[in-house]
Amino acid sequence: VTKSYLTLHLAKCLQTGDPFIGHFEVKEKVPVLIIDKENGLRRIQKRLQGLNAPVDAEIYLLKYPEQFQITDAEFMESVANLIKFRGIKVVILDSFVDLMVGNENSAGDTNEVFNAIRSISTEVVWAAVHHESKPMPRFQRSAGQRTRGSSNIIAQVDASFNLEKTKAHGIIHIEQGKARDEEPIH
């Protein structure tokens, strides 16, 4: 739940200009597309209302996200057209595993997924929710090592962040796992 809420909070901030998680400045308000195969439209809309997202926000949701398949060229083209027509600048994918065709442990299969995503549009920021692998007792792992699936997943992204619930109510720990072209954020 935390990951999905955080992406919805991001979408809201990209519309209102509010600082993301109260800390990171939003430099430009931009249209957002959410492709969420885990949560239904009503749940997403209810959560956005709970986050006080403006009713006229340019936050777009696919009506039938379960139909989003990277192997369906016609549907992929329709998503590409929507992105272009609406001027969407950020696409949130919830979750990466729902896009997988093949094995998420295979570098070749994950590479095909990333290539398919890029074929839709290279002009947008893609933000994908992904899950961690199972914890390993007595081993301290970096954020990148905790990512589930092929190491190609981390290799393909420009930035990654890992979320961890803390014992303190309402507090989450965010660790940056990767920052390809920038200094890590502290």
Side-chain angles (χ1 to χ4, degrees):
V1 171
T2 302
K3 296 179 292 292
S4 295
Y5 268 113
L6 203 57
T7 59
L8 294 177
H9 173 67
L10 173 63
K12 175 206 159 200
C13 291
L14 290 170
Q15 283 295 290
T16 62
D18 295 339
F20 178 58
I21 59 175
H23 182 73
F24 298 102
E25 177 186 4
V26 172
K27 296 183 181 190
E28 180 182 358
K29 296 179 189 178
V30 297
V32 177
L33 171 62
I34 298 172
I35 302 173
D36 186 337
K37 295 178 82 168
E38 290 189 355
N39 299 293
L41 288 176
R42 287 186 182 171
R43 178 176 290 148
I44 296 168
Q45 290 169 331
K46 184 177 177 181
R47 288 177 176 177
L48 284 168
Q49 286 175 334
L51 289 167
N52 295 317
V55 292
D56 61 344
E58 288 186 278
I59 299 173
Y60 301 98
L61 307 169
L62 289 187
K63 189 171 186 179
Y64 301 107
E66 65 279 1
Q67 293 181 7
F68 184 86
Q69 300 292 330
I70 63 170
T71 55
D72 184 340
E74 186 178 321
F75 195 78
M76 295 283 280
E77 185 178 345
S78 71
V79 173
N81 291 336
L82 173 67
I83 289 169
K84 191 173 188 174
F85 179 72
R86 295 290 183 189
I88 292 167
K89 299 294 181 203
V90 175
V91 179
I92 296 170
L93 302 170
D94 193 354
S95 81
F96 181 78
V97 72
D98 292 330
L99 304 177
M100 276 302 305
V101 174
N103 184 340
E104 73 177 1
N105 293 310
S106 163
D109 290 350
T110 57
N111 196 51
E112 285 185 38
V113 172
F114 282 103
N115 286 340
I117 290 169
R118 287 185 199 103
S119 76
I120 296 172
S121 177
T122 58
E123 304 298 315
V124 300
V125 171
W126 293 91
V129 172
H130 190 52
H131 300 93
E132 289 189 347
S133 60
K134 301 271 188 252
M136 295 176 67
R138 296 188 293 258
F139 288 99
Q140 186 75 4
R141 298 179 302 161
S142 70
Q145 292 169 327
R146 291 191 308 261
T147 301
R148 191 171 86 184
S150 170
S151 60
N152 185 52
I153 295 169
I154 288 296
Q156 292 285 334
V157 301
D158 293 326
S160 71
F161 298 89
N162 290 66
L163 309 177
E164 185 179 339
K165 290 183 180 179
T166 66
K167 292 181 181 181
H169 177 71
I171 304 292
I172 58 173
H173 178 253
I174 301 174
E175 177 185 0
Q176 186 166 12
K178 182 175 181 181
R180 184 185 307 275
D181 297 326
E182 304 291 331
E183 289 296 316
I185 300 169
H186 299 286

